[in-house]
Amino acid sequence: MQSSIRVLTTIFGGSMPMANAIAQQADEIFRTGPETLIAQSSCIVAGSVSNNQKEIVLLAQPESENDALKWVIKGQLENPRVLKGRAPARIIKFSRSEQSMFLPRDPLAAEWELTYGDLKPKDIAIIFFGGAPSESILKIIPSGYGERDLVTLVNEIIPIQANNNSVQRKQLWLAYLKHTQLDEGRRVALRALIQLPVEWVNLEPVLSPMITNPQAGTTIRSFIFGIVTFAVTENIWGVSNPQAVDFLCQQFSTEKNATLTLSYLLHIKQALSYSYDETTNSMSNYTGQRMLDCLKRRESLGPLEPPIQEQYQQIHASYPGLF
């Protein structure tokens, strides 16, 4: 458990503290995802790739293709299957830029695209077109198996987005959140529900068993905590915001997994920064006050893991006299 926490601290520590990293990524990861690209696309087609060619663009060492840092995959779609809209009446050729995982993320690639990685030999390629009729290629994303099954995800999202009745769409997204087997699907549903928005009284019964399920992955449980925190800071639920804050405090207070506890704590730190009024040295709303009380109670229960204790020390220093 401690080794997992050390990995998190190493990734986000140093010159960019974890809380700052969370703040910088929040707008992207909690607002946009595959559903954004699907909604923007006038046509989406999928198919296997033929005439596959790989052109090296940048090598780490000259004359060593095994050390490629950047490359372009070129090919054409074989027997394209239309997922949305009308397919272009032509052979669909494409080129896709890829790069080594050791390079900084391509700024043109969204965070969610990392789930699907590079185009592998047996992958399906999904091409998202913009304009009418299918004038330009917006993105080419691979689809594989398991969590990389983007074809299934796209097929599940399109009919929900197509429903113009917002009340019915809420119900469809809630049902999808309950039943999808894909973590990316759960993230999609949560973003959509926050944006509608869904009432907290309807969302909480779905989230509670999900975030407390020890069989659920830590990644999706952390995402749930993070997006609820994000929604609270955006005052999505208005008069129901306190109930959502109480939900967050309950999860943080009872979580036994040290890695998740650290993740939750970092989201709480971000919420505190939104609530703090520097001119009066006070928390300006219920969110900040309640979360400080929650942190105090958790600290009083006994020794904390060193990385968690370090975050507590930073909070003490940031809010003198309050915590």
Side-chain angles (χ1 to χ4, degrees):
M1 192 69 69
Q2 290 183 354
S3 62
S4 298
I5 294 178
R6 282 198 295 272
V7 169
L8 283 172
T9 307
T10 300
I11 292 173
F12 293 102
S15 61
M16 181 181 286
M18 294 172 81
N20 288 343
I22 289 174
Q24 292 175 3
Q25 293 179 352
D27 267 4
E28 179 179 0
I29 64 176
F30 297 138
R31 290 187 192 275
T32 63
E35 71 280 9
T36 312
L37 180 59
I38 294 168
Q40 292 171 347
S41 301
S42 57
C43 171
I44 305 173
V45 296
S48 56
V49 178
S50 63
N51 299 327
N52 195 333
Q53 298 177 345
K54 180 177 181 179
E55 296 182 3
I56 306 298
V57 176
L58 179 64
L59 292 171
Q61 298 179 10
E63 301 180 1
S64 176
E65 291 193 7
N66 292 329
D67 293 324
L69 294 178
K70 293 185 177 182
W71 57 91
V72 174
I73 301 295
K74 294 184 177 181
Q76 69 181 47
L77 225 55
E78 191 77 16
N79 300 318
R81 176 161 56 99
V82 178
L83 306 182
K84 179 182 179 181
R86 181 181 298 176
R90 55 181 167 83
I91 295 175
I92 303 175
K93 296 182 179 181
F94 69 89
S95 64
R96 169 183 159 87
S97 297
E98 298 183 345
Q99 66 179 45
S100 167
M101 61 181 293
F102 299 109
L103 292 179
R105 195 187 90 192
D106 182 349
L108 297 178
E111 179 79 20
W112 64 267
E113 293 178 38
L114 301 179
T115 299
Y116 302 97
D118 297 333
L119 188 61
K120 297 178 172 59
K122 294 184 179 181
D123 279 351
I124 297 295
I126 304 182
I127 302 184
F128 299 81
F129 290 92
S134 307
E135 294 172 353
S136 60
I137 293 178
L138 301 177
K139 288 277 186 181
I140 305 105
I141 310 289
S143 177
Y145 300 94
E147 282 297 324
R148 293 184 68 245
D149 186 358
L150 184 57
V151 170
T152 294
L153 186 70
V154 170
N155 278 326
E156 292 172 345
I157 291 172
I158 287 173
I160 301 177
Q161 288 186 338
N163 190 309
N164 293 322
N165 185 307
S166 61
V167 175
Q168 292 178 5
R169 205 159 61 248
K170 285 181 189 180
Q171 296 305 314
L172 289 171
W173 281 124
L174 281 169
Y176 183 62
L177 176 60
K178 283 183 186 179
H179 301 301
T180 180
Q181 299 301 306
L182 299 171
D183 278 351
E184 192 63 62
R186 296 182 181 102
R187 287 188 282 268
V188 166
L190 281 167
R191 282 189 293 261
L193 288 164
I194 295 299
Q195 290 169 15
L196 278 169
V198 68
E199 296 76 11
W200 175 249
V201 68
N202 294 324
L203 183 59
E204 189 275 336
V206 182
L207 292 187
S208 286
M210 195 176 296
I211 198 172
T212 56
N213 181 3
Q215 303 302 316
T218 56
T219 301
I220 189 60
R221 293 168 70 188
S222 176
F223 184 88
I224 292 170
F225 193 96
I227 199 168
V228 172
T229 307
F230 176 74
V232 163
T233 61
E234 295 284 306
N235 198 32
I236 293 295
W237 294 298
V239 295
S240 296
N241 249 24
Q243 285 89 344
V245 174
D246 292 344
F247 168 86
L248 294 171
C249 289
Q250 173 68 17
Q251 305 313 317
F252 177 74
S253 299
T254 57
E255 182 54 58
K256 304 299 183 184
N257 182 299
T259 302
L260 272 176
T261 300
L262 177 59
S263 172
Y264 293 174
L265 178 57
L266 295 169
H267 289 296
I268 288 175
K269 282 182 66 177
Q270 188 59 32
L272 291 176
S273 71
Y274 279 98
S275 302
Y276 182 60
D277 185 342
E278 191 172 0
T279 59
T280 61
N281 187 34
S282 64
M283 291 296 167
S284 61
N285 54 35
Y286 177 84
T287 298
Q289 297 163 6
R290 178 76 170 89
M291 286 187 168
L292 277 183
D293 290 340
C294 177
L295 291 173
K296 290 175 185 177
R297 282 200 299 275
R298 181 66 187 257
E299 189 177 33
S300 70
L301 294 178
L304 301 169
E305 294 276 358
I308 298 173
Q309 183 62 50
E310 180 181 346
Q311 296 300 320
Y312 263 85
Q313 291 169 356
Q314 292 179 19
I315 297 172
H316 278 290
S318 297
Y319 307 107
L322 295 182
F323 182 55

